[in-house]
Amino acid sequence: MESANIVIIGAGVVGLAVAAKVSESNEEVYVFEKNARHGQETSSHNSGVIHSGIHYPKNSLKAKLCVKGNTMMYELCEKYQIPFKRLGKLTVAIEEEEVNELDKLMRAGTENGVEGLKFLGEEAVRRLEPNVEVEKALLTPSTGILEPDELMNHFYARTRKNNAVLATETEVTSIRKTDGGYEVAGVSVGEKFSVTAKTVINCAGLFSDKVAAMVGLDVAKLGYLIYPCKGDYFRVAGKPLVKMLVYPVPKGPGLGIHLTPDLAGSIRLGPNAYYVDKIDYAVESGEKEFREDVTRFVPKVRDYEIHEDSSGIRPKLQGPKDGFRDFAIRHEADNGFFGLINLVGIESPGLTAAAAIGEHVAEIVENEVKR
Ligand SMILES: Cc1cc2nc3c(=O)[nH]c(=O)nc-3n(C[C@H](O)[C@H](O)[C@H](O)COP(=O)(O)OP(=O)(O)OC[C@H]3O[C@@H](n4cnc5c(N)ncnc54)[C@H](O)[C@@H]3O)c2cc1C
């Protein structure tokens, strides 16, 4: 049986960011990825937005890692030429009663340390975005977009440079606690394999509850059950309707159907949000919902054709009847599994926070596991 120091399960943006960081100061780091390439699941099925941090309660991991991750992400993009644009975002109140929701976002953003927040009236909004017709808006200048594949390639290159190994087509099917750590086993390119590791880091995204259960943790009791929540996108044909990101106030389990320019300027609408029980990336929604929602604040969308684009699936801890749930990033020592670190429920803003999550997990390894 081969031995490793640290095994990371999952090579999405989070597993790769964690690998890039922990391999700076640890030898024998392995990343196991079930697909033929890294980043084929949630990390390549999202909006590519660098969020600011206005949507999360004060002191939550989501708030802290998003705000820190936002700064880190712009620094990374500038330093390593990862394509990005700092476009800014408008969150809009269409009706009078939605103005209260804008106040709440302003409060949360201020408490979280988001800089440059500003309310804009109808006229000021129209000057910035002539096709947006609303009562009031909250301007978030630090919101932007980036190219997720390029970001993942960057983390992967750093992982390789630090001599960590990414094994693709390698699915972990069991994890057993041993005297000195864990025996991680599964199937790699059609062959059974087994590796011992002192530390195991679970970054398995939509499957992170199943991976956590492999070791024998009661995932239902710990609140680690994933409720997959899908979001579809449509694309607007023709000349861009807006230059900035434009969001309604959030409602339901998503952020509401919004307009996001991509790096070429083309506009995507979405994602909407509905719970599913299987992982299937086919677009299931109809055009009507998207058109109606967006017409409320960008009436001109009526003159444009829109087409099915893509979808993504959020690994949510928040079930259909639940309120806010934070990221779960836990060293399971207190639950009897020293050296096992679970990352569960890493939905949005996981892309924005990836580098900050990498640092956070590396600190857990240094301060709790290696001590
Ligand atoms: C519709 C949508 C829009 C979003 N928009 C944004 C946004 O604009 N900005 C933002 O910050 N965040 C956004 N997010 C969130 C962001 O995309 C995620 O937080 C992030 O991609 C999660 O990365 P991950 O590495 O944890 O998961 P994943 O990318 O899903 O990676 C997990 C990996 O683990 C592998 N794996 C699973 N089980 C095993 C196993 N047993 N053995 C080996 N490998 C395994 C999988 O194959 C996968 O590659 C969005 C999410 C969705 C769904």
Side-chain angles (χ1 to χ4, degrees):
M1 195 188 314
E2 286 194 46
S3 76
N5 180 14
I6 298 178
V7 161
I8 296 166
I9 303 169
V13 71
V14 172
L16 291 170
V18 169
K21 191 65 196 167
V22 298
S23 59
E24 282 177 6
S25 49
N26 293 279
E27 305 285 319
E28 293 177 7
V29 176
Y30 287 79
V31 187
F32 294 152
E33 168 53 54
K34 68 179 171 55
N35 293 334
R37 224 184 102 69
H38 66 255
Q40 299 297 288
E41 307 273 346
T42 310
S43 299
S44 52
H45 293 82
N46 57 51
S47 306
V49 175
I50 305 175
H51 286 296
S52 64
I54 60 170
H55 290 291
Y56 322 107
K58 187 181 172 188
N59 288 330
S60 61
L61 273 181
K62 282 184 178 172
K64 288 194 250 185
L65 296 172
C66 182
V67 173
K68 182 177 176 191
N70 176 290
T71 307
M72 289 178 81
M73 213 42 91
Y74 283 117
E75 282 169 9
L76 274 183
C77 289
E78 269 164 21
K79 187 163 173 197
Y80 297 103
Q81 279 128 42
I82 298 162
F84 78 102
K85 282 185 182 167
R86 198 190 289 255
L87 296 175
K89 161 175 147 180
L90 294 175
T91 308
V92 300
I94 304 154
E95 289 152 20
E96 188 57 40
E97 61 262 31
E98 293 179 346
V99 171
N100 279 341
E101 298 301 314
L102 283 192
D103 292 340
K104 284 187 204 159
L105 293 176
M106 171 64 115
R107 243 187 335 267
T110 308
E111 284 178 348
N112 293 340
V114 179
E115 288 177 2
L117 296 175
K118 202 165 128 187
F119 285 126
L120 301 176
E122 198 177 341
E123 210 26 64
V125 170
R126 215 192 303 272
R127 271 198 301 275
L128 279 176
E129 290 289 358
N131 291 327
V132 177
E133 295 182 20
V134 294
E135 287 269 322
K136 190 174 175 181
L138 175 64
L139 171 70
T140 323
S142 61
T143 305
I145 52 169
L146 57 63
E147 179 46 72
D149 284 335
E150 294 290 339
L151 177 68
M152 285 191 277
N153 289 341
H154 162 76
F155 286 133
Y156 175 54
R158 267 170 57 190
T159 301
R160 288 291 307 273
K161 190 161 164 261
N162 297 337
N163 295 320
V165 176
L166 168 62
T168 51
E169 288 187 71
T170 300
E171 179 166 5
V172 173
T173 55
S174 80
I175 308 172
R176 192 175 64 82
K177 195 170 186 309
T178 61
D179 278 350
Y182 296 89
E183 182 190 333
V184 179
V187 180
S188 184
V189 202
E191 302 275 328
K192 284 188 178 173
F193 78 95
S194 150
V195 174
T196 58
K198 290 194 197 110
T199 304
V200 174
I201 307 176
N202 168 13
C203 301
L206 287 161
F207 308 89
S208 52
D209 54 348
K210 295 186 179 57
V211 168
M214 284 177 192
V215 80
L217 283 170
D218 185 341
V219 289
K221 202 163 147 203
L222 288 166
Y224 289 174
L225 282 180
I226 296 284
Y227 296 89
C229 182
K230 189 165 172 180
D232 295 324
Y233 294 91
F234 277 70
R235 192 172 288 275
V236 183
K239 210 169 146 232
L241 274 167
V242 289
K243 299 178 286 300
M244 304 170 74
L245 295 103
V246 186
Y247 287 53
V249 293
K251 69 171 196 286
L255 292 179
I257 293 178
H258 46 267
L259 295 92
T260 308
D262 64 17
L263 286 158
S266 164
I267 306 295
R268 278 201 301 167
L269 308 181
N272 59 353
Y274 55 99
Y275 286 92
V276 292
D277 50 22
K278 61 179 193 309
I279 307 305
D280 173 355
Y281 292 107
V283 173
E284 294 174 65
S285 313
E287 169 179 338
K288 190 164 172 268
E289 172 192 1
F290 286 73
R291 220 179 244 297
E292 282 178 0
D293 276 19
V294 174
T295 302
R296 290 177 64 230
F297 52 105
V298 184
K300 207 167 188 324
V301 76
R302 285 197 203 100
D303 306 337
Y304 284 70
E305 275 182 34
I306 66 171
H307 305 286
E308 274 183 20
D309 187 73
S310 56
S311 77
I313 306 174
R314 306 166 180 89
K316 271 192 176 293
L317 290 174
Q318 179 190 348
K321 294 187 183 134
D322 302 331
F324 173 82
R325 287 290 307 274
D326 204 359
F327 291 157
I329 303 181
R330 310 228 176 98
H331 177 209
E332 304 290 359
D334 290 348
N335 291 318
F337 294 97
F338 185 89
L340 171 67
I341 302 168
N342 280 318
L343 285 80
V344 193
I346 314 298
E347 55 164 330
S348 192
L351 179 72
T352 309
I357 293 174
E359 282 198 354
H360 183 71
V361 173
E363 279 164 22
I364 296 175
V365 172
E366 292 305 313
N367 301 335
E368 298 182 27
V369 182
K370 278 167 74 176
R371 67 186 152 80

